[in-house]
Amino acid sequence: LQSQGPEEAKAFISAFLKRSMPKMKDEAIQDVLTRKAVVLEHYPKKKAKQKRKKTKGFTAKQRRELRLFEIEPEQQRYTLFLPLHELWKQYIRDLCHGLKPDAQPYMVQGKLLKADLHGAIVTVTKSRCPSYVGITGIILQEFKHVFKIITKEDKLKVVPKLHNVFSLEIDGFISYIYGSKFQLRASERSAKKFKLKGTIDL
């Protein structure tokens, strides 16, 4: 093997770089040659990202067909849900820090607006439909537009929120729920900002 001179070595490296890095221009290759160390770039092939399959839940139609939210007739008993009401009262007391006599009413009202009402005892105090007035019972289910209430007579009532006013009492504090302003799912209410003042109608 014959040793190469500086010029031959430079020509070899220049040709090698052109083959190894075809995207680089001659000026860039010359700039690389002025450095003592040469780092060859590698362009890996991009791997195609695999899309994750999202697990889909039941549709509203499927839930109705499976009767997931229906309460069986033998379970429609008021006394059966009294323990749920006791749990709800303790939940509200903890949420409102004890419901002390000196508690500010607007603070308690703000907490109740976002609270879970499953287990609360409510009464329809005003309604555009007179047949709803006076219905009292424990809220078993809350949907966007209706409450399902079990009465002391063991009757399951479906009461619309629209055009109805509900009263709710706990430890002497009475709160009123205007259903027309309350048409949200329970999960949506927790994130909603309610206005304390505004027009109130049925």
Side-chain angles (χ1 to χ4, degrees), residues 96-126:
C96 300
H97 307 294
L99 283 174
K100 298 176 183 178
D102 59 345
Q104 297 294 329
Y106 71 92
M107 293 292 290
V108 178
Q109 181 72 21
K111 295 281 188 182
L112 287 174
L113 285 173
K114 297 187 177 186
D116 191 330
L117 297 179
H118 294 89
I121 293 179
V122 295
T123 301
V124 181
T125 54
K126 292 181 182 180

Short mmCIF file of all heavy atoms in Angstrom, two decimals, residues 96-126:
data_model
loop_
_atom_site.label_atom_id
_atom_site.label_comp_id
_atom_site.label_asym_id
_atom_site.label_seq_id
_atom_site.Cartn_x
_atom_site.Cartn_y
_atom_site.Cartn_z
N CYS A 96 -70.22 21.56 53.29
CA CYS A 96 -70.47 22.94 53.74
C CYS A 96 -69.84 23.22 55.10
O CYS A 96 -70.20 24.19 55.77
CB CYS A 96 -71.98 23.20 53.81
SG CYS A 96 -72.81 23.01 52.22
N HIS A 97 -68.93 22.34 55.52
CA HIS A 97 -68.18 22.54 56.78
C HIS A 97 -69.10 22.65 57.99
O HIS A 97 -68.94 23.52 58.85
CB HIS A 97 -67.28 23.78 56.68
CG HIS A 97 -66.38 23.77 55.50
ND1 HIS A 97 -65.35 22.86 55.34
CD2 HIS A 97 -66.38 24.53 54.36
CE1 HIS A 97 -64.75 23.07 54.18
NE2 HIS A 97 -65.36 24.07 53.57
N GLY A 98 -70.10 21.78 58.03
CA GLY A 98 -70.92 21.67 59.25
C GLY A 98 -72.25 22.37 59.23
O GLY A 98 -73.06 22.17 60.13
N LEU A 99 -72.52 23.22 58.23
CA LEU A 99 -73.78 23.99 58.18
C LEU A 99 -74.04 24.69 59.52
O LEU A 99 -75.08 24.52 60.16
CB LEU A 99 -74.95 23.08 57.82
CG LEU A 99 -75.08 22.69 56.34
CD1 LEU A 99 -76.19 21.68 56.15
CD2 LEU A 99 -75.38 23.91 55.50
N LYS A 100 -73.08 25.47 59.95
CA LYS A 100 -73.22 26.19 61.22
C LYS A 100 -74.23 27.33 61.09
O LYS A 100 -74.48 27.83 60.00
CB LYS A 100 -71.85 26.75 61.63
CG LYS A 100 -70.80 25.65 61.85
CD LYS A 100 -69.45 26.26 62.16
CE LYS A 100 -68.40 25.15 62.33
NZ LYS A 100 -67.05 25.71 62.57
N PRO A 101 -74.83 27.76 62.23
CA PRO A 101 -75.84 28.83 62.17
C PRO A 101 -75.32 30.13 61.57
O PRO A 101 -76.09 30.90 60.98
CB PRO A 101 -76.23 29.03 63.65
CG PRO A 101 -75.90 27.72 64.30
CD PRO A 101 -74.69 27.19 63.57
N ASP A 102 -74.02 30.39 61.73
CA ASP A 102 -73.46 31.64 61.21
C ASP A 102 -72.97 31.50 59.76
O ASP A 102 -72.33 32.40 59.22
CB ASP A 102 -72.31 32.12 62.09
CG ASP A 102 -71.19 31.09 62.19
OD1 ASP A 102 -71.42 29.92 61.82
OD2 ASP A 102 -70.09 31.46 62.66
N ALA A 103 -73.26 30.37 59.12
CA ALA A 103 -72.83 30.16 57.73
C ALA A 103 -73.55 31.13 56.80
O ALA A 103 -74.74 31.40 56.97
CB ALA A 103 -73.09 28.72 57.31
N GLN A 104 -72.82 31.67 55.83
CA GLN A 104 -73.42 32.60 54.89
C GLN A 104 -74.33 31.83 53.92
O GLN A 104 -73.89 30.88 53.28
CB GLN A 104 -72.32 33.32 54.09
CG GLN A 104 -71.40 34.18 54.93
CD GLN A 104 -72.13 35.36 55.55
OE1 GLN A 104 -73.09 35.87 54.98
NE2 GLN A 104 -71.69 35.78 56.72
N PRO A 105 -75.60 32.26 53.79
CA PRO A 105 -76.54 31.53 52.93
C PRO A 105 -76.07 31.39 51.48
O PRO A 105 -76.25 30.34 50.87
CB PRO A 105 -77.82 32.38 53.02
CG PRO A 105 -77.71 33.09 54.32
CD PRO A 105 -76.25 33.36 54.50
N TYR A 106 -75.47 32.47 50.94
CA TYR A 106 -75.05 32.40 49.54
C TYR A 106 -73.91 31.41 49.34
O TYR A 106 -73.76 30.82 48.27
CB TYR A 106 -74.66 33.78 49.02
CG TYR A 106 -73.38 34.34 49.56
CD1 TYR A 106 -72.17 34.12 48.91
CD2 TYR A 106 -73.36 35.10 50.74
CE1 TYR A 106 -70.98 34.63 49.40
CE2 TYR A 106 -72.17 35.62 51.23
CZ TYR A 106 -70.99 35.38 50.57
OH TYR A 106 -69.82 35.88 51.06
N MET A 107 -73.09 31.20 50.39
CA MET A 107 -72.01 30.22 50.30
C MET A 107 -72.58 28.80 50.27
O MET A 107 -72.15 27.95 49.49
CB MET A 107 -71.05 30.37 51.49
CG MET A 107 -70.27 31.68 51.48
SD MET A 107 -69.06 31.76 50.12
CE MET A 107 -67.88 30.55 50.67
N VAL A 108 -73.57 28.56 51.15
CA VAL A 108 -74.20 27.25 51.19
C VAL A 108 -74.94 26.99 49.87
O VAL A 108 -74.88 25.89 49.31
CB VAL A 108 -75.18 27.16 52.38
CG1 VAL A 108 -75.88 25.80 52.39
CG2 VAL A 108 -74.44 27.38 53.68
N GLN A 109 -75.63 28.03 49.38
CA GLN A 109 -76.36 27.89 48.12
C GLN A 109 -75.41 27.55 46.98
O GLN A 109 -75.70 26.70 46.13
CB GLN A 109 -77.10 29.20 47.80
CG GLN A 109 -77.91 29.18 46.53
CD GLN A 109 -79.16 28.35 46.65
OE1 GLN A 109 -79.64 28.09 47.73
NE2 GLN A 109 -79.70 27.91 45.53
N GLY A 110 -74.25 28.20 46.95
CA GLY A 110 -73.25 27.93 45.90
C GLY A 110 -72.75 26.50 45.95
O GLY A 110 -72.53 25.87 44.91
N LYS A 111 -72.60 25.96 47.17
CA LYS A 111 -72.16 24.57 47.31
C LYS A 111 -73.24 23.60 46.83
O LYS A 111 -72.96 22.61 46.15
CB LYS A 111 -71.83 24.27 48.78
CG LYS A 111 -70.66 25.06 49.34
CD LYS A 111 -69.34 24.48 48.94
CE LYS A 111 -68.19 25.17 49.66
NZ LYS A 111 -66.87 24.64 49.25
N LEU A 112 -74.49 23.90 47.19
CA LEU A 112 -75.59 23.01 46.83
C LEU A 112 -75.83 22.97 45.32
O LEU A 112 -76.25 21.96 44.78
CB LEU A 112 -76.87 23.44 47.54
CG LEU A 112 -76.93 23.16 49.04
CD1 LEU A 112 -78.19 23.77 49.65
CD2 LEU A 112 -76.91 21.66 49.32
N LEU A 113 -75.58 24.09 44.65
CA LEU A 113 -75.78 24.15 43.21
C LEU A 113 -74.89 23.16 42.47
O LEU A 113 -75.24 22.66 41.41
CB LEU A 113 -75.53 25.56 42.69
CG LEU A 113 -76.61 26.60 42.97
CD1 LEU A 113 -76.14 27.98 42.55
CD2 LEU A 113 -77.91 26.26 42.24
N LYS A 114 -73.71 22.89 43.05
CA LYS A 114 -72.76 21.99 42.40
C LYS A 114 -72.71 20.61 43.04
O LYS A 114 -71.99 19.73 42.58
CB LYS A 114 -71.36 22.62 42.42
CG LYS A 114 -71.28 23.93 41.65
CD LYS A 114 -69.85 24.43 41.55
CE LYS A 114 -69.75 25.69 40.71
NZ LYS A 114 -68.37 26.12 40.47
N ALA A 115 -73.49 20.43 44.11
CA ALA A 115 -73.44 19.16 44.84
C ALA A 115 -74.20 18.06 44.11
O ALA A 115 -75.07 18.32 43.28
CB ALA A 115 -74.02 19.36 46.24
N ASP A 116 -73.86 16.84 44.45
CA ASP A 116 -74.59 15.68 43.95
C ASP A 116 -75.90 15.58 44.74
O ASP A 116 -75.89 15.56 45.97
CB ASP A 116 -73.75 14.42 44.14
CG ASP A 116 -74.32 13.21 43.42
OD1 ASP A 116 -75.56 13.15 43.26
OD2 ASP A 116 -73.54 12.34 43.00
N LEU A 117 -77.03 15.51 44.06
CA LEU A 117 -78.33 15.52 44.72
C LEU A 117 -78.94 14.12 44.87
O LEU A 117 -80.07 14.00 45.36
CB LEU A 117 -79.30 16.42 43.95
CG LEU A 117 -78.91 17.91 43.88
CD1 LEU A 117 -79.94 18.68 43.07
CD2 LEU A 117 -78.79 18.49 45.28
N HIS A 118 -78.24 13.08 44.46
CA HIS A 118 -78.77 11.73 44.64
C HIS A 118 -78.86 11.42 46.13
O HIS A 118 -77.85 11.41 46.84
CB HIS A 118 -77.88 10.70 43.94
CG HIS A 118 -77.88 10.82 42.45
ND1 HIS A 118 -76.99 11.62 41.78
CD2 HIS A 118 -78.68 10.26 41.51
CE1 HIS A 118 -77.23 11.54 40.48
NE2 HIS A 118 -78.25 10.72 40.29
N GLY A 119 -80.09 11.20 46.62
CA GLY A 119 -80.31 10.96 48.05
C GLY A 119 -80.96 12.11 48.76
O GLY A 119 -81.40 11.97 49.91
N ALA A 120 -81.06 13.26 48.11
CA ALA A 120 -81.68 14.43 48.73
C ALA A 120 -83.20 14.30 48.71
O ALA A 120 -83.78 13.73 47.78
CB ALA A 120 -81.27 15.70 47.99
N ILE A 121 -83.86 14.82 49.75
CA ILE A 121 -85.32 14.88 49.78
C ILE A 121 -85.74 16.25 49.27
O ILE A 121 -85.35 17.28 49.83
CB ILE A 121 -85.87 14.64 51.19
CG1 ILE A 121 -85.60 13.19 51.62
CG2 ILE A 121 -87.37 14.92 51.24
CD1 ILE A 121 -86.09 12.86 53.03
N VAL A 122 -86.52 16.28 48.22
CA VAL A 122 -86.97 17.53 47.62
C VAL A 122 -88.49 17.55 47.52
O VAL A 122 -89.15 16.50 47.53
CB VAL A 122 -86.36 17.75 46.21
CG1 VAL A 122 -84.86 17.91 46.28
CG2 VAL A 122 -86.74 16.61 45.28
N THR A 123 -89.03 18.77 47.44
CA THR A 123 -90.46 18.97 47.28
C THR A 123 -90.71 19.94 46.14
O THR A 123 -90.01 20.96 46.04
CB THR A 123 -91.08 19.54 48.58
OG1 THR A 123 -90.82 18.63 49.66
CG2 THR A 123 -92.59 19.74 48.44
N VAL A 124 -91.67 19.63 45.31
CA VAL A 124 -92.04 20.55 44.24
C VAL A 124 -92.95 21.62 44.86
O VAL A 124 -94.06 21.33 45.29
CB VAL A 124 -92.78 19.83 43.09
CG1 VAL A 124 -93.12 20.82 41.98
CG2 VAL A 124 -91.92 18.69 42.54
N THR A 125 -92.46 22.85 44.93
CA THR A 125 -93.22 23.93 45.57
C THR A 125 -94.01 24.78 44.58
O THR A 125 -95.05 25.31 44.91
CB THR A 125 -92.27 24.85 46.36
OG1 THR A 125 -91.23 25.32 45.48
CG2 THR A 125 -91.62 24.10 47.51
N LYS A 126 -93.48 24.92 43.36
CA LYS A 126 -94.19 25.68 42.33
C LYS A 126 -94.06 24.94 41.01
O LYS A 126 -93.04 24.30 40.75
CB LYS A 126 -93.60 27.09 42.18
CG LYS A 126 -93.83 28.01 43.36
CD LYS A 126 -93.24 29.39 43.09
CE LYS A 126 -93.43 30.32 44.28
NZ LYS A 126 -92.85 31.66 44.01
#
